[in-house]
Amino acid sequence: MGRFARGCACAALATLQLCVGSSRAQTSAQLLLPSAIAYDAAGDVYFADTNRSQVLESTLGGQLVVIAGNGVQGFSGDGGSAATAELNAPQGVAVGADGTVYIADTGNQRVRVVTAGTISTFAGTGVRGFAGDGGVATAAEFSTPIALAIDASGALLVCDSGNQRVRRISAGRITTIAGNGVQGFAGDGGAATAAELDTPMGVAATTGGSIFVADTHNNRVRVVSAAGTISTFAGTGAAGFTGDGSAATAAELSLPRELVVLPSGSLLIADENNQRVRMVDTSGVISTVVGMGVQGSVIGTGDGVSAVAAMLNSPRAVGVSAFAQPVVADSANKLLRVDAANAALYAPAGLAAGRTSGVTMSALTTAVYGQLSAGVTVSGAAGAAQGAVNWLDGGSLVGSSTLSNGSATMTLPEAGVGVHTLSVQYGGDGLNPAAASLAANVTVTPAPVIATASAVSMQYGTAVPALVGTLTGVLAQDSGNVASVFSSAVIALSPVGTYPIEATLTGSASSNYAVSMGASSGSLNVTQTTSSVTEQLSVQSYAGLPMILTAVVSPPALGTPTGTVTFLDGANVAANATVVNGMATGTYLAPSAGTHVMTASYSGDGNFMPSGSSPINATVNAMPDFTVSVPSPSQSVQGGLIANYTVVVAGQGAFSGAVSLGVSGVPAGATVNFSPPQLVPGAGSLTSTLSVQTTTAMASATPAISAWWALGFALPMLVMRRKRLWLPVIAMVVCVGIAGCGTRSLPLAAQPSQSYAFTVTGTGTNLAGVVVTHSTVVTLVVE
């Protein structure tokens, strides 16, 4: 059965309430004749109540459980439930390492076995006698099988007391290992199988292969070596009580019964008629450990009585608890009594109705993750509580601790962040029953961890570099389950500056930690990046006209430079411009003609470093112009005919405007015509024909003399010769002027031809919007 609670179905048997399962016995003083004791690996005690024909279990937690027998003396039930089978005065019990329970069903002359709650016959036919050695155990005959034990190999040892033998069952076959079947005393020093025994009623085995036999009516304990030789271990053969403190072989025993080997190697002996439990230590010295040697009745459980001062009444069996405590079946007193750690006797918890344990848990209301711990104190009524406690979190098992002097502490480093409802279950120690503490809420807060980022730099516009660092403070238990991820709000186009690096936690255990950045944690530094400037010029420039200057400021990767660009003509500032979308456009207002060495200087901005362009040569051309010429400027024609002149308009520097042609100073009566009247010379030259239509009068015409010219000529003459004559002259001039100041012909001598000079003019608008004129003089001779 297990250490903690199990379910059961209860059946009232006489006045003792027993359960197949977990219910506690209602009284501790209702056994009839306990006469065999055995413990399982869990620490539960099994015992045979001979007069009830039952085998019972008292668990560590204090439950009393029916293992086999329904309380009716008889034989039945093989193949069915052990708890409903009939037994007949069982006097032996043993528990295998696998939990199998063996029962000496004494009155039925059998050994029966309980496996997983089902009972069957393990050895014996049920017929009293002796038979079967060397054969299968179920075909053997017994005569009052009493004590049982498991040897070092796992085989079952049986005291076949009426046959004066100790027999061994292994792999289903039975043999005799001690006793020749003759009731008596003989054989020490020889083969155990040739020795005489007298009603053997106890057997125990050591891990080394030795086997102790209670040779009861010989008042001795004998030992069979691993080699099969028998000898006396304790007792002189005389019934009595002597020898404590001396060699066991010189001591007197009186009806020694069941035996058990302590973990120390010492041997416990139920010295029935001496009303004692005696012990032979590993040096062979005997002493009394329980009982004062007075046969007497005990009221109730006799709890708390000093072990060596206790009265016993025919102790038939001994055992050793899971805590190495001697246990005695005080048979006639109808008690099982355990020698507790405080050297006092107590009934097992399953036989002590009303006994309780107190469990007090102490824990902080808050704890940092990894540091949650709690203490527990178990107060027991049967000496200091021993055994284990289980720690529960919300009802789930999270750990266990072993009590020391009734106390234990528990650390729960894996209790995650949040509210935990802790409680403690005490499993009992066989004397102090199981109990549980009240639940308490504990809030676990995150454990601090420190992240330290490595400083890193990047240029503006470039990819954000990988961010790394270290994380300290993670508990060893979470190694590999918590990691830090470093990040920043920076993107490729974040402005130049210093930015903090943050850390977040990942991993299955990350929720149990709170991360903060260490004092020495680095930052992400965004620095200016380089730039490059390419300058562009207008296709063609002319002196006096604005020159358009363009600079493209290019980033090495991403981003758009801002700021200004200064355009330089040599060392002189030609223009300044603002960078918009990576481009700056400036105007050089009036560059002079010639070659100019131009550069562009970028000022930089918060994200980009300054830079300059390579110099380029800019040629500024002279302002385009034109010329007007007449290759043959002098023509002679007869009056009344047409004179034709070729007018050449030549461009200087690709004059792209229209040049309009005109003439001035044409003789009276003549008419002129240009064909065509306008020319666009460009970079070449074009011609137009000037036609002059003459008249016949032009050939003989006398040149007109202006009256005013005559007056201007005559007046000084008159003044110089005759000052007194100036007044009549003036009067005459005035009259001439009044009469008509036009041209008057003076009779001259006849001429054969007449020559005329007049001016041809070209007018155009240059690229600067300025009106430009150029003229040439031509001569016409009319005959």
Side-chain angles (χ1 to χ4, degrees):
M1 306 295 282
R3 290 193 179 196
F4 295 97
R6 69 186 85 185
C8 80
C10 301
L13 301 175
T15 59
L16 178 62
Q17 182 171 345
L18 305 173
C19 308
V20 180
S22 65
S23 296
R24 296 282 303 279
Q26 302 303 304
T27 178
S28 63
Q30 296 178 343
L31 298 182
L32 296 183
L33 190 65
S35 55
I37 299 172
Y39 276 83
D40 67 8
D44 298 342
V45 61
Y46 296 72
F47 56 95
D49 189 339
T50 302
N51 285 0
R52 284 196 172 276
S53 294
Q54 287 184 307
V55 174
L56 309 174
E57 174 193 12
S58 179
T59 68
L60 278 177
Q63 299 158 345
L64 189 61
V65 182
V66 173
I67 296 300
N70 60 9
V72 176
Q73 188 174 11
F75 174 77
S76 69
D78 269 6
S81 169
T84 61
E86 293 178 356
L87 303 177
N88 190 351
Q91 296 188 53
V93 64
V95 183
D98 61 355
T100 299
V101 179
Y102 299 93
I103 301 169
D105 194 0
T106 308
N108 282 322
Q109 312 302 326
R110 297 171 186 262
V111 175
R112 299 174 82 178
V113 64
V114 178
T115 303
T118 299
I119 194 169
S120 60
T121 295
F122 184 73
T125 62
V127 176
R128 182 188 294 271
F130 173 75
D133 265 9
V136 294
T138 52
E141 293 178 358
F142 292 103
S143 178
T144 315
I146 295 183
L148 303 177
I150 307 293
D151 72 8
S153 69
L156 182 68
L157 304 177
V158 183
C159 281
D160 192 0
S161 62
N163 281 321
Q164 316 303 326
R165 287 177 167 88
V166 176
R167 301 172 83 175
R168 182 175 186 268
I169 303 170
S170 177
R173 304 187 74 83
I174 191 167
T175 57
T176 294
I177 61 169
N180 60 8
V182 176
Q183 186 174 12
F185 174 75
D188 270 5
T193 53
E196 294 178 0
L197 303 176
D198 191 351
T199 317
M201 292 187 177
V203 63
T206 68
T207 56
S210 297
I211 296 171
F212 295 102
V213 178
D215 195 357
T216 304
H217 287 166
N218 280 322
N219 298 303
R220 297 172 185 261
V221 175
R222 300 172 82 177
V223 61
V224 179
S225 70
T229 300
I230 194 169
S231 60
T232 294
F233 181 75
T236 61
F241 174 75
T242 59
D244 271 6
S246 301
T249 51
E252 292 179 351
L253 303 175
S254 184
L255 295 182
R257 294 285 297 251
E258 197 167 77
L259 309 173
V260 69
V261 178
L262 296 175
S264 65
S266 299
L267 180 70
L268 290 183
I269 305 166
D271 196 358
E272 182 179 10
N273 275 359
N274 279 321
Q275 314 304 326
R276 287 177 167 87
V277 175
R278 300 176 81 179
M279 181 180 74
V280 181
D281 65 19
T282 53
S283 66
V285 175
I286 192 169
S287 62
T288 295
V289 294
V290 178
M292 60 183 296
V294 176
Q295 185 174 15
S297 298
V298 176
I299 298 175
T301 60
D303 282 354
V305 175
S306 169
V308 294
M311 292 188 295
L312 302 179
N313 194 347
S314 302
R316 288 191 173 187
V318 290
V320 58
S321 76
F323 305 100
Q325 298 162 322
V327 182
V328 57
D330 193 359
S331 302
N333 276 324
K334 304 177 182 181
L335 294 175
L336 256 61
R337 306 175 79 177
V338 180
D339 185 359
N342 63 354
L345 296 181
Y346 296 90
L351 298 171
R355 186 185 296 165
T356 60
S357 301
V359 181
T360 303
M361 182 186 69
S362 61
L364 298 174
T365 56
T366 61
V368 175
Y369 171 71
Q371 300 178 18
L372 176 58
S373 63
V376 65
T377 299
V378 179
S379 57
Q386 303 182 82
V389 290
N390 281 346
W391 300 84
L392 306 179
D393 184 355
S396 298
L397 179 66
V398 292
S400 61
S401 299
T402 299
L403 293 174
S404 175
N405 294 322
S407 298
T409 58
M410 180 68 179
T411 58
L412 300 170
E414 295 182 357
V417 169
V419 177
H420 296 263
T421 302
L422 298 184
S423 60
V424 179
Q425 280 186 348
Y426 171 52
D429 61 6
L431 295 177
N432 298 293
S437 73
L438 296 176
N441 287 336
V442 179
T443 300
V444 174
T445 59
V449 291
I450 302 299
T452 303
S454 299
V456 66
S457 294
M458 60 172 282
Q459 286 189 332
Y460 172 82
T462 60
V464 178
L467 303 178
V468 297
T470 59
L471 184 66
T472 57
V474 175
L475 301 179
Q477 68 193 33
D478 293 327
S479 177
N481 295 322
V482 180
S484 55
V485 176
F486 294 90
S487 62
S488 173
V490 171
I491 60 175
L493 296 179
S494 292
V496 167
T498 300
Y499 296 84
I501 298 175
E502 300 296 332
T504 56
L505 300 179
T506 62
S508 59
S510 60
S511 61
N512 295 318
Y513 294 91
V515 64
S516 60
M517 303 307 294
S520 60
S521 187
S523 301
L524 175 54
N525 188 29
V526 180
T527 62
Q528 284 182 310
T529 190
T530 58
S531 63
S532 60
V533 181
T534 303
E535 187 177 13
Q536 300 173 351
L537 303 174
S538 56
V539 175
Q540 192 170 25
S541 298
Y542 297 95
L545 288 182
M547 180 190 294
I548 304 302
L549 307 172
T550 302
V552 177
V553 184
S554 302
L558 301 176
T560 303
T562 60
T564 60
V565 170
T566 299
F567 296 94
L568 299 173
D569 182 356
N572 299 319
V573 176
N576 288 296
T578 300
V579 179
V580 178
N581 293 326
M583 180 175 291
T585 301
T587 303
Y588 193 173
L589 292 177
S592 60
T595 299
H596 300 260
V597 180
M598 304 298 297
T599 56
S601 176
Y602 172 53
S603 65
D605 61 13
N607 299 319
F608 291 91
M609 291 184 285
S611 59
S613 71
S614 299
I616 59 174
N617 291 330
T619 300
V620 177
N621 299 310
M623 180 64 69
D625 204 349
F626 65 91
T627 60
V628 177
S629 64
V630 178
S632 299
S634 179
Q635 298 286 335
S636 296
V637 295
Q638 290 183 349
L641 297 181
I642 297 174
N644 291 315
Y645 295 86
T646 298
V647 180
V648 178
V649 178
Q652 293 181 331
F655 191 86
S656 59
V659 176
S660 298
L661 298 175
V663 65
S664 62
V666 178
T671 62
V672 296
N673 179 58
F674 286 96
S675 180
Q678 288 185 328
L679 297 173
V680 180
S685 62
L686 296 175
T687 61
S688 178
T689 300
L690 171 61
S691 299
V692 180
Q693 175 68 56
T694 65
T695 63
T696 56
M698 293 174 59
S700 58
T702 301
I705 299 176
S706 171
W708 296 106
W709 178 88
L711 179 59
F713 177 78
L715 184 57
M717 298 285 297
L718 290 174
V719 171
M720 289 186 295
R721 292 186 177 187
R722 297 284 178 100
K723 292 182 180 180
R724 65 172 179 256
L725 294 179
W726 63 275
L727 288 175
V729 174
I730 292 174
M732 181 184 67
V733 170
V734 170
C735 289
V736 171
I738 294 173
C741 296
T743 302
R744 294 290 185 268
S745 299
L746 298 177
L748 297 175
Q751 300 292 329
S753 62
Q754 186 67 44
S755 177
Y756 300 93
F758 52 90
T759 302
V760 177
T761 301
T763 303
T765 302
N766 66 13
L767 292 176
V770 176
V771 176
V772 180
T773 62
H774 294 285
S775 301
T776 187
V777 176
V778 298
T779 301
L780 173 63
V781 177
V782 181
E783 296 177 348

